[in-house]
Amino acid sequence: MKFGLRLRGGLLATLIMFGAPVLAPVGAAFVSSSALAQTVQSISVEGNRRVEVETIRSYFKPGPGGRLDQGAIDDGLKALIETGLFQDVRINRGAGGQIIVSVVENPVIGRVAFEGNKKIKDEQLTAEVQSKARGTFSRAMVQSDTLRIAEIYRRSGRYDVRVTPEIIEQPNNRVDLVFTVEEGAKTGVKSIEFIGNNAFSSYRLRDIIKTHESNLLSFLASSDIYDPDRVEADRDLIRRFYLKNGFADVQVVAALTEYDPEKKGFNVTFKIEEGSQYRVGAVDFRSSIPNFDPTSMRGYSRVNVGSLYNVESVEKSVEEMQIEASRRGFAFAVVRPGGDRNFEAHTVAVVFNIDEGPRTYIERINLRGNTRTRDYVIRREFDVSEGDAYNRALVDRAERRLKNLDYFKSVKITTEPGSSSDRVILIVDMEEKSTGDFSISGGYSTTDGALAEVSVSERNLLGRGLFAKASVTYGQYARGYSLSFVEPYLLDYRVALGLDLYQRQQLSNSYISYGTKTLGFSPRLGFSLREDLSLQLRYSIYQQEITLPYYLANCNNTGTPAINPSPAFANLNGIDLSSTGGLGCYSDGEASLPVRKELASGKTLTSALGYTLTYNTLDNNKNPTDGLLVDFRQDFAGVGGDVSYLKSVVDAKYYTPLVSDIVGIARVQGGMLNKIGSDDLRMLDHFQMGPNLVRGFAPNGIGPRDLNPFGTQDALGGTKYWGASLEMQMPFWFLPKEVGLKGAVYADAGGLFDYQGPTSWTATNEVNAPGCIRSTVNPPTAGTCTGLVYDNGNTVRSSVGVGLIWQSPFGPLRFDYAVPLTKGKYDRTQEFRFGGGTSF
């Protein structure tokens, strides 16, 4: 006779009554403890089909002497239930007290399927659920998977989702698992409000956070979808923004979210306690380390007396000081900032305390989550390695560099205790993301007309951190292709090597009478001198030629005939004056002398060395509101090739917030082209300016110009230019922030002058062009036979205008209307200008 006790869900296998060590079901006769002293091998197993007998026995751990006591049996029963392999587990007693373990195994999942899911693919859901085909079926796991699927949909903004699991039984103890999904509509953010913000408008704060309100174009983006993690991150963004602008006591007390059933969306409210705005009253440096001069760190401080207290400047100062101390041999130095507030004067006295930190070393750096990216690509971003002194500033810098790579959705570096008290293990947790891009772009501008581009790029080629891009461009007036490759760590040094191969074709249009074809190759090296200063060295070699319709170059390829050729000259050159109204070849127009000379020269090879020095303190490279950006470029042509020159260009932009979300922009620019050697400068090497210098003027509309009234009157360009611009950009406060519209008012001034290209073209036989060798600037009388008649006045051009800027889902668009105030006699204007494009 057997006594049985059925157990589920972790219930105890036995009842212990009055402390007696007896295992028996209710109503069964008690068995002496000596009869229960079984060994593991004596356990009988019933009902198992896939799980081995020895596997089940292994969950029962014997005590001293190899015997199983009551506690071991209870623990074994619990362990078997927790495996999830069994629907039911029972422990019975046979004759003589023998232990019999009866199990009912969970079914095997034949397949896992999803129905009704349109917004999220099967592959993504399969990767998220724990129930797998050919795995063990568990009702608890199915319930967990159901909640997980619903959570995935909520993260994508669909809070009305319904997920129903269906279990279909199959023969041989197998089941099919089907999750039926009712996705529901997208749940967006209907309103974002701020309470307690006095120093900054709600419009300005909406520009700081990542969550946006729903609008008519929300279907093109996902930032309006309610995501609690994003809202929580926005709290920190608001706090950091205030701390950067002097509000040392700011607190973002709460981010309140409420679902509005009428709007079918969430209302988000951020509650802010700003506190007072502080300026830096004093900056001091103190050190407790022997032989360390704290004042030597002053040059590494970005905190200045009188400036607004900026927590980011303090943090960057701490990082640079700590790194510099490590370089000087103080590997364990720790820089701790402190601040004493003067509540009446609203100032903060900042103190940088430099102390000896704990002597801790890095035992290991463990990488987790990089399934595609090679380990060395990650490790080279660290300035520390295993065995080095632990330096938190260097670790934070490595984390920032890894995030800037844009290979990962998230990067987090934490520490774990090492094998001893003075050892730590760095844990680098990453989640990789797609780094390849396929883009089809389209755009239109009043200069280049319609334009389309197809490009393929990869930021992390083969997981080696390489960048590669191929693109093809085709438009009304511009066509070509380009291939680019970048190795960010040349020979394991922090030097980027770039290689560019390109071909461009510019067609003639209403602004230029000629076309150009350019084929070039350019290797370059990039260095980061400091966080805000970078240097690029480059070599460029390219071949260029001009294309012209025949009728614009049919007067004379060896000289410039008179505008009104004499009968003798016409007869000598085969010009039929009777059929051209006495104008001969000029009746259908004629390109300027420098253009035709370039045409006759054929293909020209340019070989140049150059560099660019960039200083950048912008707060946001994409949409700056504060900071300075300065570019200085120089190129020296003459390292072989057919031309020689030195070209220098500087461009500086300064952004500063004014009042009520208005941003002021001041820009100055200038350039100079210097002749080297005795050869003339080519017209194509001159600067060509238009709305890129002074808005309101046509492309190539400014500067020296051919004045031949019977020719195309091409712009000749200049060797010197300057420009200055003041602009104010402001939001439209009556429109939602998410629309992305801003207005602009501006004033521009500038000039382009000093043409130094060809002015004459000596004929092989001067009889063919009598009197047409001389050059005349600003000719005294029309019709005088000259080599090149052109205007070279140094007139100041100026204009005022308004603009409309739209950060649209289709890409950045800008519309400008500018009115010239002063201009040259022969300049060409274009009051309206439009440009923009998109990727889709």
Side-chain angles (χ1 to χ4, degrees), residues 630-650:
V630 181
D631 274 334
F632 179 72
R633 306 190 304 274
Q634 278 195 313
D635 288 281
F636 169 71
V639 189
D642 303 321
V643 297
S644 299
Y645 60 78
L646 177 64
K647 184 179 286 188
S648 306
V649 173
V650 64

Side-chain angles (χ1 to χ4, degrees), residues 40-105:
V40 172
Q41 296 301 320
S42 66
I43 296 176
S44 296
V45 178
E46 295 178 347
N48 59 310
R49 302 179 63 181
R50 298 188 311 275
V51 183
E52 298 290 339
V53 172
E54 291 302 323
T55 301
I56 296 175
R57 287 174 175 171
S58 67
Y59 287 92
F60 295 88
K61 308 297 182 183
R67 296 291 184 177
L68 290 173
D69 57 17
Q70 185 63 51
I73 294 174
D74 288 346
D75 293 341
L77 176 62
K78 293 176 184 178
L80 283 173
I81 293 173
E82 290 171 357
T83 62
L85 298 174
F86 308 102
Q87 289 185 17
D88 193 14
V89 180
R90 293 183 300 167
I91 294 182
N92 300 317
R93 286 293 177 186
Q98 181 186 13
I99 298 175
I100 302 173
V101 179
S102 298
V103 297
V104 178
E105 293 180 347

Side-chain angles (χ1 to χ4, degrees), residues 719-733:
T719 60
K720 300 178 180 66
Y721 78 90
W722 65 273
S725 175
L726 292 175
E727 180 172 329
M728 287 192 301
Q729 294 182 358
M730 64 211 73
F732 294 110
W733 293 277

Side-chain angles (χ1 to χ4, degrees), residues 188-200:
V189 176
K190 298 303 180 181
S191 71
I192 300 176
E193 302 296 336
F194 300 88
I195 298 175
N197 56 309
N198 299 314
F200 300 102

Side-chain angles (χ1 to χ4, degrees), residues 133-385:
R134 297 183 297 277
T136 302
F137 173 81
S138 169
R139 293 186 180 275
M141 188 182 297
V142 170
Q143 184 64 27
S144 175
D145 290 339
T146 302
L147 297 175
R148 177 60 181 159
I149 294 172
E151 180 64 20
I152 293 171
Y153 271 92
R154 292 190 181 101
R155 293 293 181 186
S156 65
R158 298 182 182 275
Y159 274 75
D160 291 334
V161 64
R162 298 290 184 270
V163 182
T164 304
E166 184 180 359
I167 303 164
I168 304 173
E169 296 187 1
Q170 301 291 350
N172 300 321
N173 200 29
R174 302 177 70 88
V175 295
D176 289 342
L177 180 59
V178 179
F179 293 97
T180 302
V181 182
E182 297 177 20
E183 293 180 323
K186 185 174 72 171
T187 311
V189 176
K190 298 303 180 181
S191 71
I192 300 176
E193 302 296 336
F194 300 88
I195 298 175
N197 56 309
N198 299 314
F200 300 102
S201 67
S202 297
Y203 191 97
R204 180 72 180 96
L205 294 179
R206 288 191 185 98
D207 197 34
I208 302 300
I209 62 178
K210 301 297 183 182
T211 303
H212 296 151
E213 293 179 356
S214 299
N215 56 70
L216 293 176
L217 298 175
S218 293
F219 68 94
L220 296 171
S222 60
S223 57
D224 70 311
I225 296 172
Y226 175 70
D227 185 340
D229 290 343
R230 182 191 294 156
V231 171
E232 191 62 29
D234 287 339
R235 289 183 61 186
D236 188 60
L237 289 175
I238 296 170
R239 175 179 167 275
R240 298 283 298 181
F241 175 74
Y242 271 93
L243 288 174
K244 190 172 68 173
N245 287 277
F247 293 86
D249 299 324
V250 66
Q251 292 185 40
V252 183
V253 179
L256 307 175
T257 58
E258 181 182 6
Y259 182 77
D260 188 335
E262 294 184 1
K263 296 180 178 180
K264 294 184 178 180
F266 284 89
N267 299 323
V268 180
T269 303
F270 294 95
K271 187 177 181 181
I272 304 169
E273 293 181 2
E274 292 182 333
S276 300
Q277 190 178 43
Y278 293 85
R279 291 188 174 272
V280 179
V283 181
D284 195 12
F285 304 85
R286 301 171 185 171
S287 173
S288 62
I289 303 175
N291 303 321
F292 188 94
D293 181 13
T295 59
S296 64
M297 294 288 103
R298 189 173 297 275
Y300 299 92
S301 171
R302 300 191 179 192
V303 182
N304 300 312
V305 175
S307 63
L308 283 176
Y309 176 78
N310 186 336
V311 71
E312 288 189 2
S313 297
V314 174
E315 290 172 350
K316 290 178 179 178
S317 300
V318 167
E319 180 179 301
E320 293 192 7
M321 290 179 193
Q322 196 158 319
I323 292 172
E324 178 59 24
S326 179
R327 287 176 183 155
R328 296 183 184 183
F330 299 91
F332 300 101
V334 177
V335 181
R336 297 184 176 92
D340 295 327
R341 293 175 177 79
N342 186 324
F343 297 102
E344 295 180 356
H346 299 299
T347 59
V348 178
V350 179
V351 180
F352 293 100
N353 299 292
I354 307 166
D355 303 312
E356 186 79 23
R359 293 184 170 271
T360 306
Y361 297 88
I362 299 173
E363 183 174 322
R364 289 194 314 276
I365 301 177
N366 293 341
L367 309 180
R368 299 193 303 212
N370 57 315
T371 56
R372 181 168 176 265
T373 306
R374 309 292 179 93
D375 281 6
Y376 72 86
V377 173
I378 299 166
R379 292 182 183 275
R380 68 191 183 188
E381 299 299 331
F382 286 80
D383 290 327
V384 291
S385 58

